[in-house]
Amino acid sequence: MGNRIVYAAMATVMAGAPMFGTVSADQVWSEDNVSSINITRTVSGVTNKFSNNFGYTITASETNPAPVVGLADSFSIDFAETDAILNNSISKVATIDLSGVTFSKLGDYEFVIKEVSSTDPVNFPVDSKNEYTLLASVRNVLDEYGKPTGGLEAKFLAQLRDANGDKTDDVKFEKVAVRGKIELSNTLQGSMADSNAYFKYKINLINAKAGDVFTVTGQDAEINYGGETIVTAPEIVAGQDNYVYLKHGQNVTIGSKDGLNELPIGLTYTIEELDATDYETLIDGNVDEDKATEVKTVKADLSEDASEEEVAEYKLSNVTAYVNKKEANVLTGVMLGILPFMVAGSFGAAAYIASRRKM
């Protein structure tokens, strides 16, 4: 069951008058009156600014005595790239105005508030778990004898009770943003592969918002590449060329820090290895040259019960494994080719020396 807001209206009608009338929220007199309700929407798990719109409905129950006037049936909460991020979270507030709500009949009313839409539901899912019910009760005020005292007065109160029935002052919708990460590894094979050498990789984030920053973890802080000392970057920035450097057995994660993923789902990217022309390179187990410029798309992390097919698809999208091989096959072949002549030459030289000694 959703949370319930007790939204009470006490009305007084003239004795002998019909049991209905027009009761408006602006006819309030109690210090406990609440003329509006704040709705908070929080998006957590974000490291870069974003824009998104969440849509809500306020649906009247079919059992309501009559339609009401002045209560919106929908509203929205907008997030903009100018909003400040605090502790990887952004919260926005919308206010539901109750001051102009008018009832035409006495009785009990219910209105359900739900979050129903998101402009980007893949990255910012709809919070379908939380649901709130506004309860309005329009009643006669009775005298000590149980008779209507006459006149029209209204008193509106608002209470929110959570799923445990405990009173709270908040109406909240919240959902963690869905984010992903990229993984890149380098492995060397072969008798001539230099395990101390660093390999350079260029990473392009194709459709990321320029200036967005994503964490890089796993590479050495300072390396020697081509005789030059390089301080590696702890992050990559969308809209510019980015490079990481890996030795044999190393791997980096791009877009994840302290367990929090950072890359938007659907982000496209390429990874290209540079300056490794004297190595045979396998990318994800393939020698296909097209793999070197393949465009990949970030997917969300897998659930624990993911199928083998889902695991395979995730690896193709989010994981890139380079294997660089260098063998001594060519040199060995040459040596084997000339070895008989070297052996024959050695025997000939030995025979000549021996004959000279006998002279």
Side-chain angles (χ1 to χ4, degrees):
M1 293 180 61
N3 298 321
R4 300 177 71 82
I5 299 174
V6 180
Y7 170 54
M10 300 300 295
T12 300
V13 297
M14 294 290 293
M19 294 299 289
F20 61 87
T22 300
V23 182
S24 178
D26 59 10
Q27 298 172 283
V28 296
W29 48 265
S30 170
E31 63 181 2
D32 296 324
N33 169 67
V34 175
S35 59
S36 62
I37 298 174
N38 289 331
I39 312 294
T40 302
R41 202 341 170 153
T42 299
V43 178
S44 55
V46 290
T47 56
N48 288 287
K49 296 182 178 182
F50 63 94
S51 60
N52 197 71
N53 173 278
F54 295 97
Y56 302 83
T57 57
I58 304 177
T59 306
S61 171
E62 295 181 355
T63 62
N64 287 354
V68 299
V69 177
L71 182 62
D73 59 4
S74 65
F75 65 95
S76 65
I77 298 179
D78 294 307
F79 287 76
E81 293 180 4
T82 54
D83 298 332
I85 299 175
L86 180 62
N87 298 324
N88 303 123
S89 179
I90 301 177
S91 294
K92 300 294 289 287
V93 177
T95 300
I96 305 300
D97 184 13
L98 306 177
S99 64
V101 179
T102 300
F103 299 88
S104 61
K105 286 188 177 182
L106 298 174
D108 296 328
Y109 296 77
E110 290 192 4
F111 307 90
V112 177
I113 302 176
K114 291 183 178 181
E115 184 173 280
V116 295
S117 67
S118 167
T119 51
D120 183 0
V122 173
N123 283 284
F124 308 105
V126 169
D127 179 2
S128 57
K129 178 180 178 181
N130 287 309
E131 177 182 303
Y132 300 91
T133 302
L134 282 169
L135 300 179
S137 185
V138 181
R139 290 286 184 265
N140 288 312
V141 176
L142 305 178
D143 63 16
E144 56 182 318
Y145 302 105
K147 296 180 180 181
T149 60
L152 279 177
E153 292 179 310
K155 178 180 179 182
F156 286 78
L157 303 175
Q159 284 187 345
L160 167 66
R161 296 193 179 276
D162 61 21
N164 298 320
D166 297 326
K167 183 179 178 181
T168 176
D169 296 325
D170 301 316
V171 180
K172 290 183 176 181
F173 292 91
E174 181 174 3
K175 198 78 172 179
V176 178
V178 180
R179 290 292 187 257
K181 61 181 179 290
I182 297 171
E183 298 176 72
L184 167 66
S185 64
N186 175 43
T187 302
L188 299 186
Q189 292 181 358
S191 58
M192 297 299 289
D194 184 358
S195 60
N196 293 316
Y198 284 92
F199 290 73
K200 184 178 182 179
Y201 299 90
K202 180 181 179 180
I203 301 170
N204 282 330
L205 306 179
I206 298 173
N207 61 342
K209 187 167 80 285
D212 278 359
V213 177
F214 304 102
T215 305
V216 177
T217 57
Q219 65 177 342
D220 295 334
E222 186 175 289
I223 61 108
N224 185 284
Y225 184 81
E228 179 184 358
T229 299
I230 296 175
V231 177
T232 61
E235 57 193 23
I236 64 174
V237 181
Q240 66 183 46
D241 292 337
N242 299 277
Y243 303 95
V244 298
Y245 301 83
L246 298 177
K247 288 198 303 185
H248 167 62
Q250 290 186 328
N251 59 80
V252 295
T253 300
I254 300 166
S256 185
K257 182 179 181 180
D258 300 329
L260 178 65
N261 289 348
E262 302 171 341
L263 298 177
I265 306 307
L267 181 147
T268 54
Y269 68 98
T270 59
I271 297 178
E272 181 182 2
E273 186 178 64
L274 306 176
D275 307 332
T277 55
D278 55 341
Y279 282 79
E280 177 187 358
T281 300
L282 280 73
I283 307 173
D284 300 330
N286 298 283
V287 187
D288 187 356
E289 292 184 0
D290 291 338
K291 278 281 186 179
T293 55
E294 180 183 20
V295 177
K296 294 189 173 187
T297 303
V298 174
K299 292 182 178 294
D301 283 354
L302 296 171
S303 61
E304 294 182 356
D305 58 350
S307 66
E308 292 184 4
E309 182 179 354
E310 289 173 328
V311 172
E313 290 179 355
Y314 175 85
K315 288 183 177 180
L316 288 174
S317 297
N318 294 51
V319 180
T320 303
Y322 275 82
V323 176
N324 290 292
K325 302 174 66 175
K326 192 172 185 180
E327 298 285 3
N329 293 338
V330 175
L331 180 60
T332 301
V334 172
M335 291 299 293
L336 289 175
I338 67 174
L339 184 59
F341 300 100
M342 293 178 63
V343 172
S346 298
F347 278 117
Y352 173 77
I353 294 172
S355 63
R356 293 284 297 171
R357 287 176 175 173
K358 290 179 180 180
M359 294 178 60

